[in-house]
Amino acid sequence: MINVAIDGPAGAGKSTIAKAAAKKLGFIYVDTGALYRTIALNCVRHGVIDCPEKIVELLKETDVKLDFDESGSQCVFLNGEDVSSLIRTPEISMGASTVSKIPEVRAFLLDLQRDIAKNNNVIMDGRDIGTVVLPNADKKIFLSASAECRAERRYKELIEKGVEVKFEDVLSDVNERDYQDSHREIAPLKPSEDSIMADTTGMSLEDSTNMIINIIKGE
C-alpha cells in the first residue's frame, strides 16, 4: 500500500488538493480534519465544547465512521448520522481545534485513521499525519500558503455556501487557528523532518494538484 501524508495549516487547500490528487491517482482520500470536526459537532450539540472532562466522557457514547461512495468521496458519520455537510462552519472549525488538544480525543481517532491506511492506497491530510498518525508514510508533504491567501479561499467557500461572513473575521479565525494548532502541547502543527515543503500561495487548484502529484511520483 502507498501512504501519502499531507499536513499543513487551516485553509491551505489540503482537502481540495488532496482530494483532486487522490482522484487522479486512483487513491482513497482521507480528510482527518473531518473526524475532529465531527467530535466537535457532537460536543457542541451536547453543550460541552468548553469542558475537556465532559468531552472525554462523551467519547464513551460516540461512534465515528468514515465511508466512501462509488466516486471515492468521503462521508463521515456520527452515531449513524451522515454529518458531512454539517461540520464545515467556522464554529465547528474552532471547535475542532479545541477538541484536538485533548489526548484522549486524538487516541480515540488514531486507530481509525491507521486502519484505513493499512488497507488502502491513501492520501491522508491533517495536522499531524506525517509526525504522528503515519510516521512511516511513503511521502510526506507540508502544504502551506499565506494567511491572507488561506482566508480568501475559506471566505469564498463560505460565501458560496450561503454563509454570511466578513473577510476580516475569517482572517482572524485563520490566524487564531494557526496559533492554537502550532502551540498545543499534544501533536502541535509542524512539518516532520522528512517533509517536502509545498507553498500554494497564488497557485490555481490545477497547478497545486499537479505539484502534489509530481511530488508523490518523485518527479
Side-chain angles (χ1 to χ4, degrees), residues 6-17 31 33 37 93 97 125-129 141-151 153-154 173-182 184 188-191 196-201:
I6 299 182
D7 292 305
K14 296 187 303 296
S15 298
T16 304
I17 295 167
D31 172 12
R37 287 170 178 269
S93 179
S97 186
D125 80 71
R127 301 289 192 280
D128 64 345
I129 309 305
I141 300 168
F142 193 86
L143 192 68
S144 64
S146 69
E148 289 76 14
C149 177
R150 290 183 282 125
R153 291 171 180 170
R154 183 60 57 86
D173 285 346
V174 166
N175 285 324
E176 183 178 351
R177 182 76 187 271
D178 284 352
Y179 184 85
Q180 287 188 10
D181 288 346
S182 60
R184 66 185 179 218
L189 170 66
K190 64 179 181 178
I196 297 171
M197 307 300 290
D199 192 319
T200 65
T201 301

Side-chain angles (χ1 to χ4, degrees), residues 32-215:
T32 62
L35 301 176
Y36 288 96
R37 287 170 178 269
T38 300
I39 297 294
L41 174 65
N42 199 36
C43 293
V44 168
R45 285 178 169 181
H46 285 81
V48 300
I49 192 66
D50 296 318
C51 183
E53 294 81 6
K54 291 184 178 179
I55 290 174
V56 173
E57 189 67 22
L58 187 59
L59 291 175
K60 296 177 182 178
E61 51 189 79
T62 301
D63 178 61
V64 178
K65 283 188 171 63
L66 287 180
D67 201 359
F68 303 89
D69 62 23
E70 293 180 355
S71 67
S73 296
Q74 174 182 286
C75 300
V76 60
F77 292 84
L78 170 63
N79 297 329
E81 175 192 358
D82 185 349
V83 295
S84 306
S85 62
L86 303 177
I87 58 174
R88 299 297 174 182
T89 67
E91 178 188 17
I92 299 304
S93 179
M94 293 305 298
S97 186
T98 298
V99 301
S100 67
K101 299 175 186 175
I102 302 172
E104 290 86 349
V105 172
R106 306 195 75 85
F108 178 79
L109 295 174
L110 185 59
D111 287 343
L112 172 60
Q113 297 168 71
R114 286 180 172 170
D115 284 345
I116 296 171
K118 283 180 184 176
N119 300 307
N120 301 277
N121 292 327
V122 301
I123 296 180
M124 187 177 293
D125 80 71
R127 301 289 192 280
D128 64 345
I129 309 305
T131 53
V132 177
V133 180
L134 300 178
N136 298 315
D138 300 277
K139 292 285 184 178
K140 299 179 184 179
I141 300 168
F142 193 86
L143 192 68
S144 64
S146 69
E148 289 76 14
C149 177
R150 290 183 282 125
E152 181 67 27
R153 291 171 180 170
R154 183 60 57 86
Y155 173 74
K156 289 180 178 178
E157 177 184 321
L158 292 169
I159 292 297
E160 287 174 0
K161 291 181 178 179
V163 181
E164 293 186 10
V165 291
K166 294 181 179 179
F167 173 77
E168 292 77 11
D169 293 337
V170 177
L171 178 58
S172 176
D173 285 346
V174 166
N175 285 324
E176 183 178 351
R177 182 76 187 271
D178 284 352
Y179 184 85
Q180 287 188 10
D181 288 346
S182 60
H183 286 77
R184 66 185 179 218
E185 292 184 13
I186 305 298
L189 170 66
K190 64 179 181 178
S192 62
E193 292 183 358
D194 50 351
S195 287
I196 297 171
M197 307 300 290
D199 192 319
T200 65
T201 301
M203 294 179 68
S204 67
L205 172 59
E206 182 178 3
D207 288 343
S208 300
T209 302
N210 288 335
M211 175 175 64
I212 295 305
I213 290 175
N214 289 339
I215 292 173

